[in-house]
């Protein structure tokens, strides 16, 4: 999946780009890197004063070349949905001074959308869910199951090209997310970290 830089001169410019898109759940971007309608991309969103960058999974809607005589920059419109759109709404609040971003994470979360199975560590029944963000440290698990803080679960991920599911032992660290729970991966040893990195590489590159 290609990454497209979507940088803005200020928070006000970013908020204006959300309004200028002219479509619900859309963002106006300025980039010379052409994308096609329907193409899935990773948008690297940043504006001056923002604490770090945020990656957003998006779908191309339209792109146009620069028109110097008309003072039109190259760019287009990206559309987002679900938790990805909520990220942009949160960034708009940050841009307008109505919210504050937490300190930058040590590990950058990569937007993904992959079906997984999971179970409680003391159970054998597997449940279906979706992961929408992942990093070396953990992931956002989209589920309405009644998980509690500190609960240990086993996540099974089948990566593209993988012969069998990879098991990641995880601990529930955040139950306040509106779409699910945040989990921390328990690496156990250096081999576990290598396995997690390989999972992320395969998911992001698919």
């Amino acid at each position: 999946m290609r990454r497209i830089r979507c940088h803005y001169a200020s928070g006000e410019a970013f908020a204006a780009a959300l309004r200028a898109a002219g479509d619900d759940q859309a963002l106006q971007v300025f980039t010379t890197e052409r994308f096609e309608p329907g193409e899935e991309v990773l948008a690297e969103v940043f504006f001056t004063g923002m604490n770090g960058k945020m990656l957003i999974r998006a779908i191309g809607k339209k792109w146009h070349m620069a028109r110097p005589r008309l003072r039109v920059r190259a760019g287009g419109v990206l559309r987002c949905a679900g938790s990805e759109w909520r990220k942009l709404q949160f960034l708009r609040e940050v841009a307008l001074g109505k919210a504050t971003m937490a300190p930058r994470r040590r590990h950058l979360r990569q937007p993904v959308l992959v079906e997984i199975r999971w179970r409680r560590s003391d159970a054998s029944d597997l449940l279906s869910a979706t992961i929408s963000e992942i990093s070396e440290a953990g992931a956002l698990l989209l589920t309405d199951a009644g998980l509690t803080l500190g609960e240990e679960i086993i996540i099974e991920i089948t990566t593209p090209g993988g012969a069998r599911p990879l098991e990641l032992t995880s601990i529930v660290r955040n139950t306040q997310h509106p779409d699910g729970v945040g989990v921390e991966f328990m690496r156990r040893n250096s081999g576990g970290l290598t396995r997690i990195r390989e999972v992320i590489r395969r998911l992001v590159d698919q």
Side-chain angles (χ1 to χ4, degrees), residues 155-202:
I155 295 176
E156 290 190 358
I157 302 179
T158 301
T159 58
R164 60 181 181 179
L166 297 174
E167 290 190 351
L168 298 175
T169 301
S170 311
I171 302 293
V172 177
R173 296 301 190 195
N174 178 14
T175 58
Q176 300 302 311
H177 196 282
D179 297 314
V181 298
V183 300
E184 177 186 358
F185 297 141
M186 307 304 292
R187 288 177 269 187
R188 306 298 192 195
N189 51 48
S190 58
L193 177 57
T194 300
R195 185 166 65 250
I196 292 170
R197 286 174 175 169
E198 180 61 17
V199 167
I200 295 172
R201 186 191 67 78
R202 292 187 183 184

Side-chain angles (χ1 to χ4, degrees), residues 98-118:
K98 299 179 181 180
T100 303
M101 286 187 69
R104 187 175 180 179
R105 295 177 184 269
R106 181 181 175 186
H107 301 288
L108 181 65
R109 288 232 171 151
Q110 302 276 3
V112 296
L113 196 62
V114 57
E115 297 294 322
I116 60 93
R117 298 195 302 171
W118 67 274

Side-chain angles (χ1 to χ4, degrees), residues 112-145:
V112 296
L113 196 62
V114 57
E115 297 294 322
I116 60 93
R117 298 195 302 171
W118 67 274
R119 62 178 174 83
R120 291 177 166 86
S121 59
D122 59 353
S124 58
D125 292 337
L126 288 165
L127 303 175
S128 297
T130 302
I131 282 179
S132 69
E133 295 179 4
I134 192 169
S135 75
E136 293 179 14
L140 175 60
L141 183 66
L142 305 184
T143 177
D144 56 5

Side-chain angles (χ1 to χ4, degrees), residues 6-11 14 45-51 91-92 94-95:
C6 307
H7 293 187
Y8 303 88
S10 65
F14 169 73
V45 179
F46 173 80
F47 51 81
T48 302
M50 181 176 164
N51 181 18
L91 285 184
R92 177 172 54 195
V94 172

Side-chain angles (χ1 to χ4, degrees), residues 44-97:
E44 181 187 276
V45 179
F46 173 80
F47 51 81
T48 302
M50 181 176 164
N51 181 18
K53 302 171 184 177
M54 183 174 288
L55 292 179
I56 306 292
R57 195 179 184 107
I59 301 293
K61 182 179 180 183
K62 59 183 178 181
W63 183 88
H64 60 260
M65 297 177 62
R67 304 182 183 92
R69 292 184 179 180
L70 299 177
R71 296 183 179 180
V72 175
R73 298 167 60 187
V77 175
L78 297 175
R79 298 197 74 250
C80 302
S83 60
E84 301 304 295
W85 175 243
R86 278 187 280 278
K87 291 180 189 177
L88 290 180
Q89 289 181 305
F90 171 71
L91 285 184
R92 177 172 54 195
E93 296 298 294
V94 172
L96 297 177

